[in-house]
Amino acid sequence: MVGFTTKKIDSLTLGERMKKIRNEHRLSIQDVSKSTKIQAKYLEYLEEGEYSKLPADVYVKGFLRSYAINMGLNEAALIKQFEREKGIHRNIKKTDEPTKSNKPIKSSGFVVTPKLIIVTSVMVVSLASFLYLYKEVDSFVSTPRLAILTPSDGATADGSSVHVAGVAEKDAMVSINDQAVLVNEKGEFSEDVGLKNGLNTIIVKARNRFNKQATQSISVNAHIAEAVDNNSQPVQIDPQQEQITNDGSATPFTIEVSVNPDPTWLSIEADGNLVYSGVLLPGSNQTFSAQQMVSVASGKGNETFVKVNGKDMGAVSSEPGSVRDIQFNASGKIKK
């Protein structure tokens, strides 16, 4: 006789699963909201499966990522289940719509006249004008939307930079730590931000065309390992390329980098540490400090300009195209 074993199938919906996990942790909706930075009402909508009340999918996916990180879950599995269940809800809604239209049409004595058409047209135009003005006034008095999707507040980074990504109002001007960043047609933005060892505060701002501004800040703890020379050999420095003070140490200096006339990708290393990687916009500049050397990589060498201690060094390259490892010290550009 062949024996059969039964296997329990997990048929919990996303909402049921989230509610079960929360109850197992003995947490309230407010507790989860506080730890994940997700509004309590959105957590309730997710647990009750009321997807029609949730904001755009990009925000919901950000909620689920934050929820997964705080609860120790697989964020990809949560997002996949959300997409699957929302697709089912959408299909059910489409199936129900024809049923509503199958009701018999009742005839009446309603007659369409030219006067009625004119009156209706005027009402439609007036309503459209009112809605447009309402939207403009609402944009004028309200702050633009802004959401940081990654990293989460209080995150830890093992390195000298962290990838910051989020969503802002379409056509808004976005800056990270007062450095302008590019925003695509969907309002999405991302940028690599340099970190110092220890606690870093990253401030993201979004400003709309009515000069209304939204600001969010997050904290990131960086653990940057100091470089060790495994061969224990001293590094030889060309005395003509390095200014030395009386006590034998390298002379600190500052370098200012700007681009013109197009947005340009840059990567900057100061004394061997990555301090900037991203797209720099025309009219913006970045200033860095170093003890020995700054290395510049650019997607457009002839459109990238450098000043060392306020002295104009000109473009990093006379030829168009990308360049790498253009080095500067306190004396200026290092010739290889």
Side-chain angles (χ1 to χ4, degrees):
M1 180 177 179
V2 180
F4 294 92
T5 59
T6 59
K7 183 178 180 181
K8 184 178 180 181
I9 299 176
D10 185 6
S11 59
L12 295 179
T13 64
L14 175 62
E16 292 170 343
R17 183 181 178 190
M18 292 176 66
K19 185 179 295 185
K20 180 181 178 183
I21 293 171
R22 179 171 59 79
N23 289 334
E24 288 176 350
H25 286 77
R26 297 182 179 179
L27 297 173
S28 67
I29 288 285
Q30 296 299 330
D31 292 333
V32 179
S33 174
K34 185 176 180 180
S35 62
T36 61
K37 310 297 183 184
I38 303 171
Q39 293 187 35
K41 65 178 181 179
Y42 293 141
L43 290 170
E44 292 176 354
Y45 295 157
L46 282 168
E47 287 192 359
E48 300 301 326
E50 296 179 353
Y51 293 156
S52 61
K53 296 182 180 180
L54 291 170
D57 286 1
V58 65
Y59 293 106
V60 179
K61 292 177 182 179
F63 297 161
L64 294 175
R65 288 191 185 96
S66 178
Y67 184 89
I69 292 172
N70 279 270
M71 293 298 186
L73 305 174
N74 186 319
E75 65 178 64
L78 288 182
I79 293 173
K80 185 176 181 181
Q81 186 174 3
F82 164 74
E83 292 175 338
R84 182 174 63 251
E85 292 184 7
K86 186 168 183 181
I88 293 173
H89 280 246
R90 189 182 298 113
N91 292 334
I92 292 175
K93 184 177 180 181
K94 289 180 179 179
T95 303
D96 290 342
E97 286 176 354
T99 305
K100 299 177 181 178
S101 62
N102 290 333
K103 295 180 179 179
I105 301 175
K106 297 181 179 180
S107 60
S108 65
F110 183 77
V111 178
V112 178
T113 64
K115 182 178 180 180
L116 180 61
I117 295 175
I118 294 174
V119 172
T120 304
S121 300
V122 171
M123 292 178 63
V124 170
V125 172
S126 299
L127 179 60
S129 300
F130 173 78
L131 292 176
Y132 174 77
L133 291 174
Y134 176 81
K135 182 179 179 181
E136 291 294 296
V137 171
D138 182 63
S139 298
F140 178 77
V141 300
S142 62
T143 57
R145 64 172 179 166
L146 175 63
I148 302 175
L149 303 181
T150 183
S152 58
D153 189 25
T156 300
D158 295 322
S160 59
S161 66
V162 66
H163 187 70
V164 178
V167 179
E169 183 176 302
K170 185 180 179 182
D171 300 327
M173 297 178 61
V174 176
S175 65
I176 300 178
N177 288 346
D178 294 325
Q179 172 60 50
V181 298
L182 293 175
V183 181
N184 66 18
E185 64 278 3
K186 297 180 180 179
E188 300 169 341
F189 62 88
S190 63
E191 193 77 21
D192 290 329
V193 177
L195 301 173
K196 63 180 181 180
N197 203 25
L199 182 63
N200 295 259
T201 300
I202 298 175
I203 301 175
V204 182
K205 300 177 181 178
R207 186 183 299 275
N208 64 15
R209 57 197 176 99
F210 297 106
N211 210 33
K212 296 297 181 179
Q213 179 175 287
T215 303
Q216 288 193 21
S217 64
I218 56 174
S219 298
V220 177
N221 287 290
H223 300 297
I224 304 174
E226 296 184 359
V228 178
D229 186 356
N230 294 328
N231 296 322
S232 299
Q233 297 294 328
V235 179
Q236 299 296 326
I237 301 175
D238 187 345
Q240 295 181 352
Q241 297 177 350
E242 192 70 49
Q243 291 185 352
I244 306 297
T245 59
N246 293 331
D247 62 359
S249 62
T251 303
F253 67 99
T254 60
I255 179 171
E256 180 181 307
V257 185
S258 61
V259 299
N260 188 50
D262 300 316
T264 302
W265 175 86
L266 295 176
S267 177
I268 311 292
E269 292 185 3
D271 295 332
N273 295 318
L274 179 66
V275 292
Y276 181 85
S277 177
V279 176
L280 190 64
L281 299 181
S284 302
N285 60 66
Q286 286 282 353
T287 302
F288 310 96
S289 299
Q291 291 285 337
Q292 296 180 351
M293 182 180 67
V294 171
S295 179
V296 178
S298 171
K300 299 176 183 177
N302 64 323
E303 297 183 10
T304 303
F305 302 89
V306 169
K307 292 182 180 179
V308 176
N309 288 335
K311 183 179 180 181
D312 191 357
M313 298 287 107
V316 298
S317 173
S318 59
E319 300 294 332
S322 61
V323 293
R324 301 190 66 85
D325 298 328
I326 307 299
Q327 299 173 346
F328 297 85
N329 61 13
S331 299
K333 186 175 181 179
I334 300 176
K335 297 181 179 180
K336 297 183 179 180

